[in-house]
Amino acid sequence: MSGMASDHNASSQEYLPHYLQKEDPFASKLSREADIVAGFYLTVIGILSTLGNGYVIFMSSKRKKKLRPAEIMTVNLAVCDLGISVVGKPFSIISFFSHRWVFGWMGCRWYGWAGFFFGCGSLITMTAVSLDRYLKICHLSYGTWLKRHHAFICLAIIWAYATFWATVPFAGVGNYAPEPFGTSCTLDWWLAQASVAGQAFILSILFFCLLFPTAVIVFSYVKIILKVKSSTKEVAHYDTRIQNSHILEMKLTKVAMLICIGFLIAWIPYAVVSVWSAFGQPDSVPIQFSVVPTLLAKSAAMYNPIIYQVIDCKFACCRSGGLKTLQKKSSLKKSR
């Protein structure tokens, strides 16, 4: 820790990040009661997320040879969320209940790396899903070209992308550090206060791991909404097989869109607070306020299986209802 302090002092004599201002950066700055409440909250979130995403992976494994490219991406998203729940949450839960971070600097860096790795993997997976939906709905000639092996190639790119950006801080251009409230760790956003190189690093992370993927997602779904509005009447004139295929594609699109919305709602407040910590006035974010976006972001892994199952059940009900309608029509024809 003394080595880290000397590095920061050498780079900036004017500003010291919160974790260098006191002797014990891992002591909780919250009340014990607040830590207990946060610990219980994360325990519930972790259990629901583990069960939900585990269920999605288990059910998908039973029909793995029939999964469409978009469904393969959904499974990858569940793997990322399960990784956050299994690898990351136990560290923060134990620390909240202990009223301090108990795993030292090595545990802090590991926790920060794992959270950033799986979080980045989730966002890039959703970016790939949105592009798949965009091509399938708006550019059918390209969409039909996308097969299962393309999805697996895309998965390899996603994992390589997440690994690169999560590991870059260890190359000397960044770091992972404790949160201001002391019982969790994250990317060292405060490097932007210390040097121009730190600002360049944080800006690169923001662009490649948040702004650019989010822009692609928003562009894809805006184009999809416009396309669906203009083509609804056209689909009604197609035969039943094409209509059923269109319904399935729209179901997958709804799942992907809701998952992206849930993820962004959970993470954008945390991103705003982090950017303000990096480029705003030093220590201008109150410690009690900074913990709320962090806890909200940690709940993102719980939403996806709920959204997936709700849409899936609605689709199954609609499908069974449509089947009953077809059966009634066929029986009526026979009676005639």
Side-chain angles (χ1 to χ4, degrees), residues 126-179:
M126 286 186 285
T127 305
V129 170
S130 67
L131 285 174
D132 173 80
R133 297 293 85 210
Y134 169 70
L135 293 174
K136 286 286 176 68
I137 302 298
C138 300
H139 299 281
L140 193 58
S141 58
Y142 292 102
T144 54
W145 174 77
L146 293 173
K147 304 299 180 184
R148 283 168 56 91
H149 65 276
H150 295 115
F152 290 114
I153 293 172
C154 190
L155 290 184
I157 295 173
I158 290 170
W159 288 110
Y161 192 92
T163 302
F164 173 78
W165 285 109
T167 311
V168 160
F170 294 132
V173 296
N175 207 345
Y176 294 100
E179 299 267 17

Side-chain angles (χ1 to χ4, degrees), residues 122-131 133-134 210-225 256-261 263-264:
S122 294
L123 183 57
I124 303 305
T125 299
M126 286 186 285
T127 305
V129 170
S130 67
L131 285 174
R133 297 293 85 210
Y134 169 70
L210 179 64
L211 297 179
F212 178 68
T214 302
V216 173
I217 290 171
V218 172
F219 168 81
S220 298
Y221 288 122
V222 168
K223 297 293 286 186
I224 287 171
I225 291 171
M257 188 181 300
L258 288 175
I259 286 176
C260 290
I261 291 172
F263 183 92
L264 294 176

Side-chain angles (χ1 to χ4, degrees), residues 60 64 66-79 125 129 147-149 151-152 155:
S60 300
K64 56 186 176 182
K66 297 181 180 180
L67 293 176
R68 291 165 168 254
E71 293 174 309
I72 293 173
M73 293 297 175
T74 303
V75 174
N76 190 65
L77 186 60
V79 171
T125 299
V129 170
K147 304 299 180 184
R148 283 168 56 91
H149 65 276
F152 290 114
L155 290 184

